[in-house]
PDB file of all heavy atoms in Angstrom:
ATOM      1  N   TYR A   1     159.767 131.268 201.851  1.00 97.00           N
ATOM      2  CA  TYR A   1     160.560 130.300 201.101  1.00 97.00           C
ATOM      3  C   TYR A   1     159.743 129.679 199.968  1.00 97.00           C
ATOM      4  O   TYR A   1     160.205 129.561 198.838  1.00 97.00           O
ATOM      5  CB  TYR A   1     161.096 129.216 202.043  1.00 97.00           C
ATOM      6  CG  TYR A   1     162.306 128.492 201.495  1.00 97.00           C
ATOM      7  CD1 TYR A   1     163.579 128.972 201.733  1.00 97.00           C
ATOM      8  CD2 TYR A   1     162.173 127.332 200.735  1.00 97.00           C
ATOM      9  CE1 TYR A   1     164.693 128.319 201.233  1.00 97.00           C
ATOM     10  CE2 TYR A   1     163.274 126.672 200.231  1.00 97.00           C
ATOM     11  CZ  TYR A   1     164.539 127.172 200.484  1.00 97.00           C
ATOM     12  OH  TYR A   1     165.629 126.534 199.980  1.00 97.00           O
ATOM     13  N   MET A   2     158.509 129.296 200.277  1.00 97.00           N
ATOM     14  CA  MET A   2     157.660 128.676 199.261  1.00 97.00           C
ATOM     15  C   MET A   2     157.294 129.675 198.164  1.00 97.00           C
ATOM     16  O   MET A   2     157.236 129.313 196.979  1.00 97.00           O
ATOM     17  CB  MET A   2     156.397 128.094 199.897  1.00 97.00           C
ATOM     18  CG  MET A   2     156.676 126.884 200.778  1.00 97.00           C
ATOM     19  SD  MET A   2     157.487 125.524 199.920  1.00 97.00           S
ATOM     20  CE  MET A   2     156.182 125.019 198.827  1.00 97.00           C
ATOM     21  N   ALA A   3     157.074 130.936 198.527  1.00 98.00           N
ATOM     22  CA  ALA A   3     156.732 131.953 197.537  1.00 98.00           C
ATOM     23  C   ALA A   3     157.908 132.283 196.627  1.00 98.00           C
ATOM     24  O   ALA A   3     157.746 132.489 195.428  1.00 98.00           O
ATOM     25  CB  ALA A   3     156.232 133.221 198.240  1.00 98.00           C
ATOM     26  N   VAL A   4     159.112 132.313 197.183  1.00 97.00           N
ATOM     27  CA  VAL A   4     160.301 132.705 196.419  1.00 97.00           C
ATOM     28  C   VAL A   4     160.968 131.513 195.739  1.00 97.00           C
ATOM     29  O   VAL A   4     161.294 131.556 194.551  1.00 97.00           O
ATOM     30  CB  VAL A   4     161.305 133.461 197.322  1.00 97.00           C
ATOM     31  CG1 VAL A   4     162.604 133.738 196.592  1.00 97.00           C
ATOM     32  CG2 VAL A   4     160.674 134.749 197.834  1.00 97.00           C
ATOM     33  N   VAL A   5     161.174 130.430 196.488  1.00 97.00           N
ATOM     34  CA  VAL A   5     161.884 129.261 195.955  1.00 97.00           C
ATOM     35  C   VAL A   5     160.915 128.294 195.274  1.00 97.00           C
ATOM     36  O   VAL A   5     161.250 127.684 194.262  1.00 97.00           O
ATOM     37  CB  VAL A   5     162.690 128.558 197.080  1.00 97.00           C
ATOM     38  CG1 VAL A   5     163.405 127.323 196.559  1.00 97.00           C
ATOM     39  CG2 VAL A   5     163.681 129.529 197.702  1.00 97.00           C
ATOM     40  N   GLY A   6     159.739 128.137 195.856  1.00 97.00           N
ATOM     41  CA  GLY A   6     158.724 127.304 195.227  1.00 97.00           C
ATOM     42  C   GLY A   6     158.627 125.877 195.717  1.00 97.00           C
ATOM     43  O   GLY A   6     157.675 125.177 195.406  1.00 97.00           O
ATOM     44  N   LYS A   7     159.630 125.428 196.462  1.00 97.00           N
ATOM     45  CA  LYS A   7     159.584 124.071 197.023  1.00 97.00           C
ATOM     46  C   LYS A   7     160.450 124.029 198.268  1.00 97.00           C
ATOM     47  O   LYS A   7     161.375 124.820 198.427  1.00 97.00           O
ATOM     48  CB  LYS A   7     160.041 123.023 196.016  1.00 97.00           C
ATOM     49  CG  LYS A   7     161.496 123.147 195.603  1.00 97.00           C
ATOM     50  CD  LYS A   7     161.904 122.040 194.645  1.00 97.00           C
ATOM     51  CE  LYS A   7     163.401 122.149 194.380  1.00 97.00           C
ATOM     52  NZ  LYS A   7     163.932 120.994 193.733  1.00 97.00           N
ATOM     53  N   MET A   8     160.140 123.082 199.128  1.00 97.00           N
ATOM     54  CA  MET A   8     160.906 122.918 200.370  1.00 97.00           C
ATOM     55  C   MET A   8     162.292 122.356 200.039  1.00 97.00           C
ATOM     56  O   MET A   8     162.436 121.563 199.096  1.00 97.00           O
ATOM     57  CB  MET A   8     160.182 121.964 201.319  1.00 97.00           C
ATOM     58  CG  MET A   8     158.843 122.472 201.813  1.00 97.00           C
ATOM     59  SD  MET A   8     158.986 123.848 202.949  1.00 97.00           S
ATOM     60  CE  MET A   8     159.365 122.965 204.470  1.00 97.00           C
ATOM     61  N   PRO A   9     163.318 122.734 200.826  1.00 96.00           N
ATOM     62  CA  PRO A   9     164.641 122.150 200.618  1.00 96.00           C
ATOM     63  C   PRO A   9     164.632 120.673 200.997  1.00 96.00           C
ATOM     64  O   PRO A   9     163.791 120.225 201.771  1.00 96.00           O
ATOM     65  CB  PRO A   9     165.546 122.951 201.563  1.00 96.00           C
ATOM     66  CG  PRO A   9     164.636 123.516 202.588  1.00 96.00           C
ATOM     67  CD  PRO A   9     163.303 123.686 201.940  1.00 96.00           C
ATOM     68  N   GLU A  10     165.542 119.925 200.423  1.00 95.00           N
ATOM     69  CA  GLU A  10     165.630 118.499 200.721  1.00 95.00           C
ATOM     70  C   GLU A  10     166.624 118.243 201.840  1.00 95.00           C
ATOM     71  O   GLU A  10     167.611 118.953 201.982  1.00 95.00           O
ATOM     72  CB  GLU A  10     166.054 117.727 199.475  1.00 95.00           C
ATOM     73  CG  GLU A  10     165.002 117.770 198.379  1.00 95.00           C
ATOM     74  CD  GLU A  10     165.377 116.915 197.188  1.00 95.00           C
ATOM     75  OE1 GLU A  10     166.174 115.971 197.338  1.00 95.00           O
ATOM     76  OE2 GLU A  10     164.858 117.205 196.107  1.00 95.00           O
ATOM     77  N   GLN A  11     166.354 117.213 202.614  1.00 96.00           N
ATOM     78  CA  GLN A  11     167.263 116.790 203.674  1.00 96.00           C
ATOM     79  C   GLN A  11     168.086 115.625 203.139  1.00 96.00           C
ATOM     80  O   GLN A  11     167.544 114.694 202.549  1.00 96.00           O
ATOM     81  CB  GLN A  11     166.482 116.356 204.910  1.00 96.00           C
ATOM     82  CG  GLN A  11     167.371 115.956 206.066  1.00 96.00           C
ATOM     83  CD  GLN A  11     166.579 115.653 207.335  1.00 96.00           C
ATOM     84  OE1 GLN A  11     165.354 115.672 207.340  1.00 96.00           O
ATOM     85  NE2 GLN A  11     167.288 115.389 208.409  1.00 96.00           N
ATOM     86  N   ILE A  12     169.413 115.688 203.337  1.00 95.00           N
ATOM     87  CA  ILE A  12     170.289 114.618 202.873  1.00 95.00           C
ATOM     88  C   ILE A  12     170.542 113.616 203.998  1.00 95.00           C
ATOM     89  O   ILE A  12     170.233 113.873 205.154  1.00 95.00           O
ATOM     90  CB  ILE A  12     171.622 115.160 202.319  1.00 95.00           C
ATOM     91  CG1 ILE A  12     172.439 115.852 203.426  1.00 95.00           C
ATOM     92  CG2 ILE A  12     171.383 116.085 201.134  1.00 95.00           C
ATOM     93  CD1 ILE A  12     173.867 116.161 203.042  1.00 95.00           C
ATOM     94  N   THR A  13     171.117 112.494 203.627  1.00 94.00           N
ATOM     95  CA  THR A  13     171.509 111.455 204.575  1.00 94.00           C
ATOM     96  C   THR A  13     172.992 111.164 204.359  1.00 94.00           C
ATOM     97  O   THR A  13     173.577 111.622 203.372  1.00 94.00           O
ATOM     98  CB  THR A  13     170.687 110.166 204.347  1.00 94.00           C
ATOM     99  OG1 THR A  13     170.985 109.660 203.041  1.00 94.00           O
ATOM    100  CG2 THR A  13     169.191 110.436 204.472  1.00 94.00           C
ATOM    101  N   PRO A  14     173.621 110.407 205.251  1.00 94.00           N
ATOM    102  CA  PRO A  14     175.051 110.117 205.084  1.00 94.00           C
ATOM    103  C   PRO A  14     175.422 109.544 203.713  1.00 94.00           C
ATOM    104  O   PRO A  14     176.520 109.796 203.218  1.00 94.00           O
ATOM    105  CB  PRO A  14     175.330 109.116 206.204  1.00 94.00           C
ATOM    106  CG  PRO A  14     174.386 109.525 207.286  1.00 94.00           C
ATOM    107  CD  PRO A  14     173.120 109.907 206.538  1.00 94.00           C
ATOM    108  N   LYS A  15     174.529 108.837 203.064  1.00 95.00           N
ATOM    109  CA  LYS A  15     174.870 108.287 201.734  1.00 95.00           C
ATOM    110  C   LYS A  15     175.059 109.390 200.686  1.00 95.00           C
ATOM    111  O   LYS A  15     175.653 109.159 199.638  1.00 95.00           O
ATOM    112  CB  LYS A  15     173.826 107.285 201.274  1.00 95.00           C
ATOM    113  CG  LYS A  15     172.474 107.860 200.954  1.00 95.00           C
ATOM    114  CD  LYS A  15     171.529 106.780 200.450  1.00 95.00           C
ATOM    115  CE  LYS A  15     170.149 107.308 200.175  1.00 95.00           C
ATOM    116  NZ  LYS A  15     170.051 108.458 199.307  1.00 95.00           N
ATOM    117  N   ASP A  16     174.571 110.603 200.990  1.00 94.00           N
ATOM    118  CA  ASP A  16     174.676 111.727 200.061  1.00 94.00           C
ATOM    119  C   ASP A  16     175.942 112.561 200.250  1.00 94.00           C
ATOM    120  O   ASP A  16     176.208 113.469 199.469  1.00 94.00           O
ATOM    121  CB  ASP A  16     173.454 112.653 200.210  1.00 94.00           C
ATOM    122  CG  ASP A  16     172.153 111.949 199.917  1.00 94.00           C
ATOM    123  OD1 ASP A  16     172.055 111.278 198.875  1.00 94.00           O
ATOM    124  OD2 ASP A  16     171.221 112.064 200.747  1.00 94.00           O
ATOM    125  N   TRP A  17     176.706 112.286 201.310  1.00 93.00           N
ATOM    126  CA  TRP A  17     177.897 113.085 201.589  1.00 93.00           C
ATOM    127  C   TRP A  17     178.941 112.893 200.500  1.00 93.00           C
ATOM    128  O   TRP A  17     179.250 111.779 200.100  1.00 93.00           O
ATOM    129  CB  TRP A  17     178.479 112.733 202.950  1.00 93.00           C
ATOM    130  CG  TRP A  17     177.572 113.060 204.102  1.00 93.00           C
ATOM    131  CD1 TRP A  17     176.475 113.876 204.087  1.00 93.00           C
ATOM    132  CD2 TRP A  17     177.674 112.561 205.430  1.00 93.00           C
ATOM    133  NE1 TRP A  17     175.900 113.922 205.331  1.00 93.00           N
ATOM    134  CE2 TRP A  17     176.608 113.123 206.182  1.00 93.00           C
ATOM    135  CE3 TRP A  17     178.547 111.700 206.063  1.00 93.00           C
ATOM    136  CZ2 TRP A  17     176.416 112.854 207.523  1.00 93.00           C
ATOM    137  CZ3 TRP A  17     178.357 111.425 207.403  1.00 93.00           C
ATOM    138  CH2 TRP A  17     177.305 112.001 208.126  1.00 93.00           C
ATOM    139  N   GLU A  18     179.499 114.017 200.028  1.00 93.00           N
ATOM    140  CA  GLU A  18     180.496 113.996 198.957  1.00 93.00           C
ATOM    141  C   GLU A  18     181.886 114.417 199.431  1.00 93.00           C
ATOM    142  O   GLU A  18     182.839 114.322 198.666  1.00 93.00           O
ATOM    143  CB  GLU A  18     180.060 114.959 197.842  1.00 93.00           C
ATOM    144  CG  GLU A  18     178.691 114.663 197.293  1.00 93.00           C
ATOM    145  CD  GLU A  18     178.165 115.791 196.432  1.00 93.00           C
ATOM    146  OE1 GLU A  18     177.931 116.893 196.964  1.00 93.00           O
ATOM    147  OE2 GLU A  18     177.999 115.549 195.234  1.00 93.00           O
ATOM    148  N   ALA A  19     181.980 114.892 200.654  1.00 89.00           N
ATOM    149  CA  ALA A  19     183.252 115.416 201.151  1.00 89.00           C
ATOM    150  C   ALA A  19     183.308 115.258 202.672  1.00 89.00           C
ATOM    151  O   ALA A  19     182.274 115.093 203.312  1.00 89.00           O
ATOM    152  CB  ALA A  19     183.370 116.894 200.785  1.00 89.00           C
ATOM    153  N   PRO A  20     184.510 115.337 203.239  1.00 89.00           N
ATOM    154  CA  PRO A  20     184.610 115.313 204.704  1.00 89.00           C
ATOM    155  C   PRO A  20     184.027 116.604 205.278  1.00 89.00           C
ATOM    156  O   PRO A  20     183.845 117.584 204.559  1.00 89.00           O
ATOM    157  CB  PRO A  20     186.114 115.222 204.955  1.00 89.00           C
ATOM    158  CG  PRO A  20     186.754 115.738 203.725  1.00 89.00           C
ATOM    159  CD  PRO A  20     185.817 115.436 202.602  1.00 89.00           C
ATOM    160  N   PRO A  21     183.719 116.613 206.571  1.00 87.00           N
ATOM    161  CA  PRO A  21     183.157 117.829 207.179  1.00 87.00           C
ATOM    162  C   PRO A  21     184.105 119.013 207.054  1.00 87.00           C
ATOM    163  O   PRO A  21     185.325 118.848 207.020  1.00 87.00           O
ATOM    164  CB  PRO A  21     182.958 117.456 208.644  1.00 87.00           C
ATOM    165  CG  PRO A  21     183.496 116.108 208.838  1.00 87.00           C
ATOM    166  CD  PRO A  21     183.912 115.548 207.525  1.00 87.00           C
ATOM    167  N   VAL A  22     183.534 120.185 206.979  1.00 85.00           N
ATOM    168  CA  VAL A  22     184.325 121.416 206.907  1.00 85.00           C
ATOM    169  C   VAL A  22     184.943 121.673 208.272  1.00 85.00           C
ATOM    170  O   VAL A  22     184.297 121.493 209.306  1.00 85.00           O
ATOM    171  CB  VAL A  22     183.426 122.609 206.508  1.00 85.00           C
ATOM    172  CG1 VAL A  22     184.201 123.913 206.573  1.00 85.00           C
ATOM    173  CG2 VAL A  22     182.851 122.403 205.124  1.00 85.00           C
ATOM    174  N   THR A  23     186.210 122.078 208.268  1.00 83.00           N
ATOM    175  CA  THR A  23     186.891 122.456 209.505  1.00 83.00           C
ATOM    176  C   THR A  23     187.517 123.830 209.320  1.00 83.00           C
ATOM    177  O   THR A  23     187.811 124.242 208.193  1.00 83.00           O
ATOM    178  CB  THR A  23     188.005 121.457 209.884  1.00 83.00           C
ATOM    179  OG1 THR A  23     189.019 121.500 208.871  1.00 83.00           O
ATOM    180  CG2 THR A  23     187.464 120.049 210.009  1.00 83.00           C
ATOM    181  N   VAL A  24     187.717 124.536 210.393  1.00 77.00           N
ATOM    182  CA  VAL A  24     188.318 125.871 210.288  1.00 77.00           C
ATOM    183  C   VAL A  24     189.775 125.801 209.853  1.00 77.00           C
ATOM    184  O   VAL A  24     190.318 126.773 209.353  1.00 77.00           O
ATOM    185  CB  VAL A  24     188.188 126.671 211.603  1.00 77.00           C
ATOM    186  CG1 VAL A  24     186.747 126.958 211.915  1.00 77.00           C
ATOM    187  CG2 VAL A  24     188.852 125.963 212.748  1.00 77.00           C
ATOM    188  N   ASP A  25     190.408 124.656 209.997  1.00 75.00           N
ATOM    189  CA  ASP A  25     191.817 124.522 209.638  1.00 75.00           C
ATOM    190  C   ASP A  25     192.045 124.567 208.128  1.00 75.00           C
ATOM    191  O   ASP A  25     193.163 124.811 207.696  1.00 75.00           O
ATOM    192  CB  ASP A  25     192.380 123.197 210.175  1.00 75.00           C
ATOM    193  CG  ASP A  25     192.324 123.125 211.692  1.00 75.00           C
ATOM    194  OD1 ASP A  25     192.371 124.196 212.326  1.00 75.00           O
ATOM    195  OD2 ASP A  25     192.229 122.024 212.230  1.00 75.00           O
ATOM    196  N   GLU A  26     191.013 124.356 207.322  1.00 65.00           N
ATOM    197  CA  GLU A  26     191.238 124.280 205.887  1.00 65.00           C
ATOM    198  C   GLU A  26     191.154 125.621 205.179  1.00 65.00           C
ATOM    199  O   GLU A  26     191.336 125.698 203.987  1.00 65.00           O
ATOM    200  CB  GLU A  26     190.274 123.291 205.235  1.00 65.00           C
ATOM    201  CG  GLU A  26     188.814 123.681 205.277  1.00 65.00           C
ATOM    202  CD  GLU A  26     187.915 122.598 204.718  1.00 65.00           C
ATOM    203  OE1 GLU A  26     187.575 121.682 205.464  1.00 65.00           O
ATOM    204  OE2 GLU A  26     187.598 122.670 203.527  1.00 65.00           O
ATOM    205  N   THR A  27     190.894 126.701 205.897  1.00 53.00           N
ATOM    206  CA  THR A  27     190.818 127.991 205.239  1.00 53.00           C
ATOM    207  C   THR A  27     192.121 128.775 205.392  1.00 53.00           C
ATOM    208  O   THR A  27     192.573 128.998 206.497  1.00 53.00           O
ATOM    209  CB  THR A  27     189.621 128.822 205.759  1.00 53.00           C
ATOM    210  OG1 THR A  27     189.640 130.078 205.094  1.00 53.00           O
ATOM    211  CG2 THR A  27     189.642 129.047 207.237  1.00 53.00           C
TER     212      THR A  27
END
């Protein structure tokens, strides 16, 4: 990951949520 992407992914918190959780009913 570090060799290809170059940095670690970031972890989000609830304040970063932009949408309700994904459910199988919405597809």
Side-chain angles (χ1 to χ4, degrees):
Y1 202 89
M2 291 302 292
V4 174
V5 179
K7 65 178 185 167
M8 295 290 279
E10 294 184 23
Q11 182 175 4
I12 64 168
T13 63
K15 68 178 178 53
D16 300 311
W17 296 344
E18 304 167 295
V22 174
T23 64
V24 295
D25 298 332
E26 66 185 84
T27 178

